[in-house]
Amino acid sequence: MKRTLITGAAGFLGSHLCDRFIAEGHEVFAMDNLITGDLKNIEHLFPLENFTFYNHDVTNFVHVPGKLDYILHFASPASPIDYLKIPIQTLKVGALGTHNLLGLAKEKGARFMIASTSEIYGDPLVHPQTEEYYGNVNTIGPRGVYDEAKRFQESITMAYHRFHGLDTRIVRIFNTYGPRMRLNDGRVIPAFMGQALRGEDLTVFGDGSQTRSFCYVDDEIEGIYRLLMSDYTHPVNIGNPNEITIKDFAEEIIKLTGTDQKIIYKPLPKDDPMQRQPDITKAKEILGWEPKVGREEGMRKTFEYFKGLSKEDLEKTEHRDFTTHNKK
Ligand SMILES: NC(=O)c1ccc[n+]([C@@H]2O[C@H](COP(=O)([O-])OP(=O)(O)OC[C@H]3O[C@@H](n4cnc5c(N)ncnc54)[C@H](O)[C@@H]3O)[C@@H](O)[C@H]2O)c1
């Protein structure tokens, strides 16, 4: 039986990865310090014999007994609200955490994958973004703590690959959505859905002409799995290139949720990228992967999930207001 360590396992993507690797017959070691994650996302796996959970902060020394075949390092605050609130932890998990896990992979001879992000492209000057684009990142801006942690993560992973011959994979994940996203993580989809469910108007930052492209979680997990199992060691974009303006998207959400809310506009946060769209040529050619779930279907499934949450959870939703953070 293959033995796989997944960090950030109680989070959105980590928990879906746990499900996938269990379904593939692996023994899964799930690690998380629950700083932004929730045990509810993985409690259904607790009774399984081939599932073990470690409540551990990966910025401290990491040990797992016995052999390991794969390590997937997904632990990191991942939404602007989170990494603006806990900037030092964000830098540490990308830097110290990645170093600790690379050391573990070297000791075990395990294949190592990091969850990188489209944020390494910053506010891109090239559209769509290919893996060869180096990015346009403000190192000292509020988002720099996340963007630079992820860029460092890629560099140290390649250094271990070149210097120690470690078998490594780098996935550059673009906006992903689906069940188990946190309502209060400040990302656009949970924010809109929370507002629609509470009967509030939908907040659009800027004039809403900025674009995003959203990938449904099942597609994302399939792409990640295929990349891990491939022999390709350079970064690969995994995301959905189907682009939409935030204003049009807000209108889609109003239609989907059957509410008659209005859209209200607030100032655009600092360094918020105007356009994000993955070039997925590499993923298509190397992995034979492309997204299959359309936005309408994905949003419907996601809305069903949010509708099932308690009223108490709904009240906890945080608005994506960065103005106070930006003043600091
Ligand atoms: N969801 C997306 O659209 C997206 C896009 C690009 C990249 N990513 C990357 O994918 C990964 C997972 O993102 P997500 O959306 O599932 O976020 P998430 O916040 O739901 O999950 C992250 C998990 O990491 C855990 N964690 C954070 N710091 C830790 C530490 N020091 N030790 C142990 N656990 C720690 C958190 O408790 C949480 O459970 C992140 O690395 C993120 O940067 C996600």
Side-chain angles (χ1 to χ4, degrees):
M1 192 186 267
K2 296 287 183 202
R3 289 164 54 100
T4 300
L5 170 65
I6 299 172
T7 75
F12 166 48
L13 291 180
S15 63
H16 284 280
L17 284 170
C18 289
D19 287 340
R20 175 63 184 258
F21 282 88
I22 289 285
E24 296 288 341
H26 291 223
E27 176 161 11
V28 170
F29 298 89
M31 196 171 278
D32 206 296
N33 68 350
L34 305 177
I35 193 163
T36 63
D38 192 333
L39 281 182
K40 272 190 213 145
N41 292 333
I42 46 172
E43 64 189 3
H44 59 287
L45 300 173
F46 286 176
L48 302 181
E49 262 184 22
N50 56 337
F51 184 80
T52 308
F53 176 70
Y54 294 103
N55 186 339
H56 183 71
D57 180 340
V58 300
T59 64
N60 299 318
F61 179 76
V62 182
H63 175 69
V64 174
K67 75 155 188 158
L68 279 176
D69 299 285
Y70 303 104
I71 298 176
L72 291 91
H73 180 28
F74 275 63
S76 170
S79 79
I81 279 212
D82 291 337
Y83 54 75
L84 294 175
K85 253 193 217 157
I86 42 173
I88 314 289
Q89 289 92 330
T90 303
L91 283 157
K92 281 175 74 179
V93 73
L96 306 179
T98 306
H99 187 215
N100 287 337
L101 290 154
L102 281 162
L104 182 68
K106 182 167 161 270
E107 179 205 329
K108 305 280 185 187
R111 183 174 293 177
F112 180 81
M113 173 183 260
I114 50 156
S116 187
T117 165
S118 54
E119 296 284 336
I120 65 112
Y121 299 121
D123 191 0
L125 304 174
V126 166
H127 301 287
Q129 292 84 54
T130 64
E131 288 85 349
E132 282 67 38
Y133 177 52
Y134 293 157
N136 177 36
V137 172
N138 176 2
T139 56
I140 58 164
R143 302 172 78 107
V145 293
Y146 182 66
D147 303 1
E148 291 301 330
K150 291 290 179 181
R151 289 167 72 98
F152 174 82
Q153 208 178 33
E154 290 199 4
S155 303
I156 192 171
T157 298
M158 283 314 288
Y160 265 72
H161 176 67
R162 294 196 181 107
F163 190 75
H164 290 304
L166 197 73
D167 191 15
T168 54
R169 305 287 181 273
I170 299 174
V171 56
R172 288 191 184 148
I173 302 168
F174 282 65
N175 274 345
T176 303
Y177 71 98
R180 300 188 194 152
M181 286 188 101
R182 251 176 40 237
L183 256 183
N184 63 349
D185 81 357
R187 284 184 266 200
V188 63
I189 292 176
F192 280 170
M193 296 226 169
Q195 288 179 319
L197 284 166
R198 284 190 308 274
E200 296 166 7
D201 290 336
L202 269 56
T203 315
V204 164
F205 293 90
D207 64 2
S209 63
Q210 68 273 37
T211 65
R212 294 292 182 271
S213 46
F214 302 110
C215 187
Y216 189 63
V217 63
D218 291 357
D219 283 332
E220 190 68 45
I221 297 293
E222 179 63 29
I224 291 169
Y225 187 80
R226 286 193 194 194
L227 176 59
L228 182 72
M229 295 305 158
S230 77
D231 57 7
Y232 193 74
T233 54
H234 278 245
V236 178
N237 291 337
I238 299 286
N240 192 324
N242 189 354
E243 214 179 0
I244 184 167
T245 68
I246 291 293
K247 181 174 178 293
D248 290 348
F249 183 56
E251 278 160 8
E252 274 189 12
I253 297 273
I254 290 172
K255 212 168 123 202
L256 167 83
T257 54
T259 49
D260 58 0
Q261 266 69 37
K262 285 192 272 312
I263 298 174
I264 53 167
Y265 295 89
K266 283 196 178 174
L268 198 65
K270 191 165 164 44
D271 297 333
D272 205 28
M274 284 309 289
Q275 201 178 2
R276 271 293 165 65
Q277 189 191 22
D279 181 318
I280 58 165
T281 310
K282 271 212 171 99
K284 279 188 190 162
E285 284 175 8
I286 297 167
L287 313 175
W289 176 88
E290 62 183 317
K292 298 228 164 9
V293 182
R295 203 170 46 242
E296 205 187 321
E297 182 190 346
M299 287 299 164
R300 208 173 352 91
K301 288 182 176 164
T302 308
F303 186 54
E304 286 308 310
Y305 169 78
F306 284 129
K307 264 202 316 203
L309 296 181
S310 66
K311 202 162 170 278
E312 194 196 349
D313 281 330
L314 271 181
E315 297 306 324
K316 280 193 293 198
T317 310
E318 232 171 297
H319 289 246
R320 188 170 169 272
D321 186 348
F322 298 100
T323 44
T324 49
H325 298 289
N326 286 343
K327 278 188 205 132
K328 282 183 192 161

